Amino acid sequence: MYFEHFFEPGLAQKSYLVGCQKTGEAIVIDPRRDVDVYLTAARDNDLRITKIAETHIHADFLSGSRELAAATGAEILASDEGGPDWQYRFAHTGLRDGDQIHVGNVRLDVMHTPGHTPEHISFILYDLPAGPAAMMAFTGDFVFVGDVGRPDLLEEAAGIKDTKIRGARDLWKSLRRFRELPQHVMVWPAHGAGSACGKALGAVPSSTVGYELATNWAFQIEDEETFVHELLDGQPEPPYYFAEMKVRNRAGAPVLGTVERPPLLGPRRIAELCGIAESHNAQSGERLESAQILDVRSQFAFAGAHIPGSISVPMDRSLSNWAGWTLDYDRPIALIAPDHQVSDVVDALIRIGLDTIVGYMPSVDGWIDEGLPVARVDQLTADELTAELDSDADKYHVIDVRSRSEFDEGHIDGAVNIHAGRLTRLADQIPRGRPLLVHCQSGYRSIIAVSSLERLGIGPVVNLIGGYGAYVDASPASQATTSR
Amino acid sequence: MYFEHFFEPGLAQKSYLVGCQKTGEAIVIDPRRDVDVYLTAARDNDLRITKIAETHIHADFLSGSRELAAATGAEILASDEGGPDWQYRFAHTGLRDGDQIHVGNVRLDVMHTPGHTPEHISFILYDLPAGPAAMMAFTGDFVFVGDVGRPDLLEEAAGIKDTKIRGARDLWKSLRRFRELPQHVMVWPAHGAGSACGKALGAVPSSTVGYELATNWAFQIEDEETFVHELLDGQPEPPYYFAEMKVRNRAGAPVLGTVERPPLLGPRRIAELCGIAESHNAQSGERLESAQILDVRSQFAFAGAHIPGSISVPMDRSLSNWAGWTLDYDRPIALIAPDHQVSDVVDALIRIGLDTIVGYMPSVDGWIDEGLPVARVDQLTADELTAELDSDADKYHVIDVRSRSEFDEGHIDGAVNIHAGRLTRLADQIPRGRPLLVHCQSGYRSIIAVSSLERLGIGPVVNLIGGYGAYVDASPASQATTSR
Amino acid sequence: MYFEHFFEPGLAQKSYLVGCQKTGEAIVIDPRRDVDVYLTAARDNDLRITKIAETHIHADFLSGSRELAAATGAEILASDEGGPDWQYRFAHTGLRDGDQIHVGNVRLDVMHTPGHTPEHISFILYDLPAGPAAMMAFTGDFVFVGDVGRPDLLEEAAGIKDTKIRGARDLWKSLRRFRELPQHVMVWPAHGAGSACGKALGAVPSSTVGYELATNWAFQIEDEETFVHELLDGQPEPPYYFAEMKVRNRAGAPVLGTVERPPLLGPRRIAELCGIAESHNAQSGERLESAQILDVRSQFAFAGAHIPGSISVPMDRSLSNWAGWTLDYDRPIALIAPDHQVSDVVDALIRIGLDTIVGYMPSVDGWIDEGLPVARVDQLTADELTAELDSDADKYHVIDVRSRSEFDEGHIDGAVNIHAGRLTRLADQIPRGRPLLVHCQSGYRSIIAVSSLERLGIGPVVNLIGGYGAYVDASPASQATTSR
Amino acid sequence: MYFEHFFEPGLAQKSYLVGCQKTGEAIVIDPRRDVDVYLTAARDNDLRITKIAETHIHADFLSGSRELAAATGAEILASDEGGPDWQYRFAHTGLRDGDQIHVGNVRLDVMHTPGHTPEHISFILYDLPAGPAAMMAFTGDFVFVGDVGRPDLLEEAAGIKDTKIRGARDLWKSLRRFRELPQHVMVWPAHGAGSACGKALGAVPSSTVGYELATNWAFQIEDEETFVHELLDGQPEPPYYFAEMKVRNRAGAPVLGTVERPPLLGPRRIAELCGIAESHNAQSGERLESAQILDVRSQFAFAGAHIPGSISVPMDRSLSNWAGWTLDYDRPIALIAPDHQVSDVVDALIRIGLDTIVGYMPSVDGWIDEGLPVARVDQLTADELTAELDSDADKYHVIDVRSRSEFDEGHIDGAVNIHAGRLTRLADQIPRGRPLLVHCQSGYRSIIAVSSLERLGIGPVVNLIGGYGAYVDASPASQATTSR
């Protein structure tokens, strides 16, 4: 048997290639949309991808199943469990609890494991020539290393009411079945550390049934009510784009074929596409009309100068996630990205279905030379902020854009907590009357937030360089005043 | 806890990085010699490599422990078990059964597991914040996925007499201790499929104690004598370089620092370095005097034209292995390798301690243009061979250079089996009196063998294009005459 | 003024970008078809390509004018001189003797310079801000460094009768006009050393009017008749594809847009596309039916093993030229080319209009593993040949595939001279009755010839490794017997 | 004859490879220090570099002659003219007016052409097989395309008194000799557009004697006094590092051998090397003690956040030049540069002898995370500045860091002109009492100036985004008030 695991760090997403070397057949489980990795691995190991399996309708990335099927002719296998609302709407071979998938001498048994979603299934793998013992479980978003899948995404992100309690109870029952698996079975989930799909994801790629029973918090709880309460408590904010993913994954993602590098565009062309008039009232933050600009340069470069109204998401592993929070699925995207990063940015965007990328410009130098409108961000170092607050503690409304849990561990006295991704939809919660001092933990998320505020036309805004981390380092005194 | 596993396919060698994200400390287990992969992984995950551990004195690759220690300042931890002959001879922190290694909040318990070698130890890992359950076992060459380490290398490769029976009995005892580990513990060995260190290595990267107990042949045997017999039966030929590795790994590998790309050399310079006179008796196969030439071009290009006396090992995952079989550790190496492969070839060579690479030449065109001596290989297609044998079955002595087990599954009638790597030392077993027809399974190993025969001055030699595979396809009739 | 010159060594083709930095306008003269180089240069120098000019209807490459116009919106300027048979058949702005082209502050004056072709024009450049002196002449295939354009291509390659004498007389007149230009004017032609468009092309990229008058052979001759005779004497063989280029360049090359890398194909798919049955009579040299295979591996690898009927043109600067000689414009092409060379091979092919590339396979290993038919080339080293000829001087018909001029400087006694490119159409000139010994100067062209003979089904054929050069080195005695 | 010209755009530096294909010998004229380009070109064209020639002791880059001689064994040929102060102090073959250099069938005649420097020589090339006519002149910094070499560098940059008038008179005499050359001779100088070695350099790579006589300003002047006056008038500021280059080129540049990529360093290590205490008074601009930091990120990123006291020179063709203005030759350099630019930055630095590069860090994120001191730049957009000046015209002292000639063409009312490179040595000319508003033309040079002011501890400083260009676009009204 051949086995390979693929980890995409941006979405902490995991997928698998399992093959039978005897027959040359192979299956891919939960493929991502940039499918070259599977094609290459199969080729290098003399395997043909003949089947593709999905554990569930994903919320955090656009499935690559249809893309991979188009490239290989493989059959798509997906759950028909979960009731009428949870049926895939594209051609596939339906799977139900107890079904068996054969890939040469490898067998995968289907186990219905609802909870995270109603239709969720897991696959229990047997390498038949080695003997009748179960070898691995592909658990999708059901059981992670050290955690279990959250059942509240539908309600939180997709706005489907009253599903999270029912999901939690379903999950309790599914976990009881999981306990029955042999202790030695390896557990390979659909996510690793960093995903928003669970609250305590470990950085170890796999585990075993026995180890999870011994250590995973979910198996230490003995009654259902406590479990339901614990499970639903303190889950991180699901990104807005999750709702979009649910709909698209059920409908079936469009097939891209070869993804071409977007063309290099000049400043005038970008301005046209984005409906930016050559006015000079750059700081007024007027909204762009047609294409939206995604600027992936560093937070420092964005602060130094940027195109008014552009969305800042500095290139980083978490680009997919923050692009999903901040970009508009209905508008084309123009990139500000250096040449050597364009391909990676495009991959990160198509992974979540942001496919319409009209072109890119490597910097804003040419834009400025053309006399097109430009904006900058007011900033303070932590030392400067400390000094200012020392002399006038009420100079700013402090907006802390970190997560609730980070905020709860300590924050600047008087700060208001609004998650960086949610800012655009929570404009009414932003206090007025003073300049806003925006910060996160280290400076990455605050620039995203600042660019959102600029688009909303709310200000003046001042960004804190280095975030709360730098603030704590800089101000031993004021740290004492932060609440806990 | 952070965990990453590194697979080097050429030697099927596996190494591990385990870190504690809380404290930033990390340990590498059984590092290979091109250590950049660990430095990069540590950097990308904000870890400092502070410890390096060895499971045993490796026979199949040169350890990177000293290289990595030189690059990071980390402490080397290695076994002091095994008796006076098995003590490492360079500075290290000695480990004994029951010792504990702490890497931040991760603990590794040392378990003495002799058998493959007398000093062999394994590490049982505990991720302390997750609870008191054991999580993983790093088993080195003790327990593989589906196999156990062979105890006969010392005797076979290093020529240390009477050790294999004792090793097999030690292994039996060590396996009894392994059975006591919890079933859920993950097993991460030092080798995957393709290594010569075990006889049935699987292509799955890891397993669990329980799955091995259920499926690994070694745990299905109930008495020691049967086990010893089974274990020692039918092991593949260990490459000659294994003896060299044992000595060097115990002494401590020299530290390379930055590995520079070898210089491009002209034909005249290569000829000088290799002591090739400008005589034209190219086909006479005279031995080179000083540097040896390693030609990594394809088997087809080598057959088309090559420098007389050069060693053919076409660039491929198994380059390290075949270079270890055929190159002389006491002579510098000149490469015939295209520009884009030079770095990979150098990496493959230094992994087994072939460090003295004096330069390279991308092709033999310039050599031929200079009028330097050139040789070619006589070849037949399978169709041609079939036709020839039909008219004269005794035209050739057929030398089948595959492994014994391949030979046993079917071979050309009358063929003599000599392993491709062993040819140079088994010249007296080669039949004389007719031209030699050399073949392997697909054509890769036979070119290595042909180049060895040329250096020995034995011939005439004819190479079969496509090997036994092509022969079987071409000659349905003659196939029937092959023995089983 | 901005000036950049682009040299494509494969076709020894030269093109030019001239821009006015004041206005940002630029013109490209005689662009090649892979137009990225112009787009990049223009972008890096803040220029917009607004005009494209052609000196004449090229015979040796497919013009990139239409490709570049499609990418930039620039206007194509081309000759309307030369009479009805020499009119471009696609949309362009016509130029006539005396016309002026303005590119910002740069002016190019059109000068009708027939001879090489009837419609040929040259451009005399003035950098107006620097003063009224002429600065450069873009002479196309009219005047080269040390040579003049040949007027016989139409007759030789395109089969248009009775044009070469008239062309030579036109050229004589055009040269008289050239003599009138100021001595200091720089001369930038459309070809450098290596092209088949002139007989004594220098390796210096540019010259001056005065230096050409002083040194170019064409200006040392004082009467027209001698000139005509000298000019038409001893011109190299024009490749067959020149006729194709003439027709296509007049009609207008198809616009490619983005050139995608052809897909990797498996052996079965290649076999299907090429209509290769899975028969084993590989050596029979049967013709492929649909796609043709171009194998760009080294001559040595091709000799070692290849797909029967494939065309060998080893990757090299001269790939375009030899592909033009040997490939069929009406059939799609499947490549045997290593991954790192695919893009360069594709560029070399589209430069001469071989656009239909259906896929590639990096080696023939997989082909052989599949049991598909395979062929090899019989070869001799120079030493071996010398020994054979010593014992039997009439063993072979020797086919010397070098150019006539190389042959005349010395050849193997009794050899027949047939240019490597012409072999496929001169099958009736090949002597029969003995095995053919094929050679060129160093071994590159002979493998092309050998692959042509294989396709013609003529044999047996033996290839000489290292060619005539190696033969002369190896056989001091036989050298004496060569003529000259 | 083989000819190739190499243009290094950063220094607008030109060098040449001339070879004789018959004998395989070649000469390089005025090599730069990253000599791989010559080695590669020679190899690709089957040439051996046997001679290296210098036209003069260069002021603007460190000569690669000794580097190339070390790599090839070639002989260095250099001027022994110019008197005792102008003698090279390393081993070389001395050249005097009238000497001849033979490179196979190519001959170069030495012509003493003082003016730019006293020892300056030019080379007149003859391609002997083509005939007795002179073909090319390598004129070094004597005659450029459209300009002549400035004779004032010694006085301006190297501080050698009373040399510029004498140099100008020498140049007048040398130009009279140049007039005697045949009109058709090509002129290939040592610099193209962009260098500081002449005042009107063209963007055309070469010219001819006749074209220069017709258009170059220097040949239009008929009397010596006018010429001397014109020549010395309005030359651009020579960078400070020119003095250093003169000394080092005469002494002989150290041989580097293989240039290794500097190591990646962590923030703590950079801080240690630069003597940065972990104090938080980041904005105080205290001077670093040991290593100096060169930050090549964009001007926008530097403005957003940077290490206090670091030198900003954004990566750009002109990096060598601005590094020469601002870096200290006596201190090691630590780089802030993204991975993909490190090699190019190192090349740019070693070209001017800044060889001691101790390491690099790709961004300042890690630095900030470590709580190390950080600084930012106060900035204004042109719109904001216009508004501010409208309400208070005296709010700032405006420092215009462009060249004198740019300043003279128009500037902000009341601005003081100090060249960006000279700021560090002209601190006493900077007006005090108000905040400084610093600007250049487009924003590149002003960030360099701002970083210099920060190191001098002068402030507060405000940087104008987009420079004077943006200001003029933004403020039609204020533009009217700029002087001419």
Side-chain angles (χ1 to χ4, degrees), chain B residues 172 174-183 209 213 218-222:
Chain B
W172 176 254
S174 295
L175 290 173
R176 300 204 74 83
R177 285 188 73 186
F178 182 88
R179 287 175 196 259
E180 306 307 313
L181 292 171
Q183 300 243 334
V209 169
L213 296 192
F219 294 105
Q220 314 314 315
I221 295 178
E222 292 302 323

Side-chain angles (χ1 to χ4, degrees), chain D residues 454-472:
Chain D
E454 184 182 300
R455 284 197 307 290
L456 290 170
I458 297 174
V461 171
V462 177
N463 183 48
L464 175 60
I465 299 173
Y468 186 71
Y471 175 77
V472 169

Side-chain angles (χ1 to χ4, degrees), chain B residues 279-283 297-305 338 340 363-365 368-376 378-384 442 465-467 470 473-474, chain C residues 279-283 297-305 338 340 363-365 368-376 378-384 442 465-467 470 473-474:
Chain B
S279 76
H280 291 288
N281 49 344
Q283 292 301 101
R297 295 175 306 144
S298 74
Q299 57 267 46
F300 312 115
F302 187 85
H340 72 287
S363 78
V364 298
D365 297 70
I368 294 172
D369 286 351
E370 288 274 355
L372 288 160
V374 63
R376 59 179 181 79
D378 269 320
Q379 297 199 115
L380 290 177
T381 65
D383 293 300
E384 291 171 327
S442 68
I465 299 173
D473 283 345
Chain C
S279 76
H280 291 287
N281 50 344
Q283 293 300 102
R297 297 175 306 143
S298 74
Q299 57 267 47
F300 311 114
F302 187 85
H340 72 288
S363 78
V364 297
D365 297 70
I368 293 173
D369 286 351
E370 289 274 356
L372 289 159
V374 63
R376 61 178 178 79
D378 270 318
Q379 296 200 117
L380 289 177
T381 67
D383 293 301
E384 291 172 327
S442 68
I465 299 173
D473 284 343

Side-chain angles (χ1 to χ4, degrees), chain A residues 280 304 340 376 379 383-384, chain D residues 280 304 340 376 379 383-384:
Chain A
H280 291 287
H340 72 287
R376 61 178 178 79
Q379 298 199 116
D383 291 302
E384 291 172 328
Chain D
H280 292 288
H340 72 288
R376 61 178 179 79
Q379 297 199 115
D383 293 301
E384 291 172 327

